[in-house]
Amino acid sequence: AGVAAATVADRRRSPDSQHGWSVHAMTAVLLLVAAEAALMVMTVAPVLAGGEGARLAGTYHARALGAVALVVAAALVVTLGRARHHPPLTAWIAHAGFLLLLVGAFGSSFDRSEQRWLEVGEPATIAGADVRVMSLDISAGPTPLSSALIATIDVDGTLLRPALVTFPERGGTLHETALDAGPVRDVQVVLDSARDGGLALVTVRVKPMVTLVWLGATTMFVGAALGIIRRRLRLRRHRVVVEPVSEPAAR
């Protein structure tokens, strides 16, 4: 939103400024700010509601963001189609990146999550992924007194190693998650608990289209940066050098 606002402000000083196109960009910025405000309210609401341990699951935030992303994407397509002036290529690049980001945000909000107890060597399909716990091993943790229970898990042919790290000096246990980031979907695996006899409680979460979020954000940034450079160059070409006028001779 900050990059887009800076681009709009810079465009207003440009000799080839297109007011209509700037309005479209500012509309997108305002919709993004509205999305951020909605997520902030959802984050703070449980705290303000009181009650010990009150919280709101992340699924609600994802669903709200997905709905806003869909509305913003539709509004962006409509405004682009109704643009009176042909925008420069850099603007198309930036807005295409923004659209990719919105599609990724919308698609990734429909993730699947499932928790299940598995024995070592037992194959299972969890949240649409083929999962098999290969081994459970205990090793030293990151601090002198800590220890880690590491699970080697095969997820669709990729070995992931989530862990449970115990810190006696802190009196707590930390879940070290494992992530397989793919071009179509991201798979996150969490080792929640384990029992003697080779039993592991794992949570598998599959999020589609996450790559589009990163690709869209990068494309949007590149398009905005190229647009600023382009306008700077045009300003230099249109700059008029004015020579100072000499004062009239004294009488």
Side-chain angles (χ1 to χ4, degrees), residues 10-210:
D10 185 77
R11 183 183 293 275
R12 291 182 182 277
R13 298 192 297 269
S14 176
D16 62 342
S17 176
Q18 299 169 356
H19 176 69
W21 187 257
S22 298
V23 171
H24 299 155
M26 186 57 70
T27 300
V29 172
L30 293 176
L31 289 171
L32 279 177
V33 172
E36 294 169 359
L39 294 179
M40 181 180 297
V41 170
M42 296 181 70
T43 302
V44 177
V47 179
L48 299 180
E52 187 175 354
R55 60 183 180 178
L56 193 63
T59 305
Y60 293 95
H61 299 78
R63 296 293 187 269
L65 181 60
V68 173
L70 182 61
V71 173
V72 175
L76 180 61
V77 171
V78 171
T79 53
L80 289 177
R82 297 179 62 183
R84 296 181 179 179
H85 303 282
H86 181 68
L89 178 61
T90 54
W92 281 111
I93 294 175
H95 283 75
F98 186 34
L99 188 59
L100 284 176
L101 187 150
L102 293 173
V103 172
F106 176 72
S108 62
S109 65
F110 293 92
D111 60 330
R112 297 178 59 187
S113 179
E114 188 177 347
Q115 186 183 66
R116 189 180 302 182
W117 283 98
L118 294 177
E119 294 183 355
V120 173
E122 176 187 358
T125 300
I126 306 177
D130 294 330
V131 180
R132 183 193 299 264
V133 179
M134 308 302 294
S135 64
L136 291 171
D137 304 294
I138 298 178
S139 65
T143 62
L145 298 179
S146 64
S147 61
L149 175 62
I150 302 176
T152 301
I153 302 177
D154 184 311
V155 180
D156 290 335
T158 301
L159 292 181
L160 301 178
R161 292 180 173 84
L164 279 174
V165 185
T166 302
F167 297 91
E169 69 276 19
R170 303 178 188 175
T173 301
L174 180 66
H175 296 266
E176 294 284 357
T177 63
L179 177 68
D180 178 26
V184 178
R185 63 178 186 177
D186 283 8
V187 180
Q188 183 186 52
V189 180
V190 183
L191 177 61
D192 295 300
S193 183
R195 295 177 181 173
D196 294 336
L199 279 175
L201 179 62
V202 298
T203 298
V204 178
R205 176 173 286 108
V206 178
K207 295 182 72 68
M209 301 185 185
V210 177

Side-chain angles (χ1 to χ4, degrees), residues 93-94 96-102 211-222:
I93 294 175
F98 186 34
L99 188 59
L100 284 176
L101 187 150
L102 293 173
T211 303
L212 291 182
V213 175
W214 298 103
L215 179 62
T218 303
T219 305
M220 183 171 60
F221 178 82
V222 170

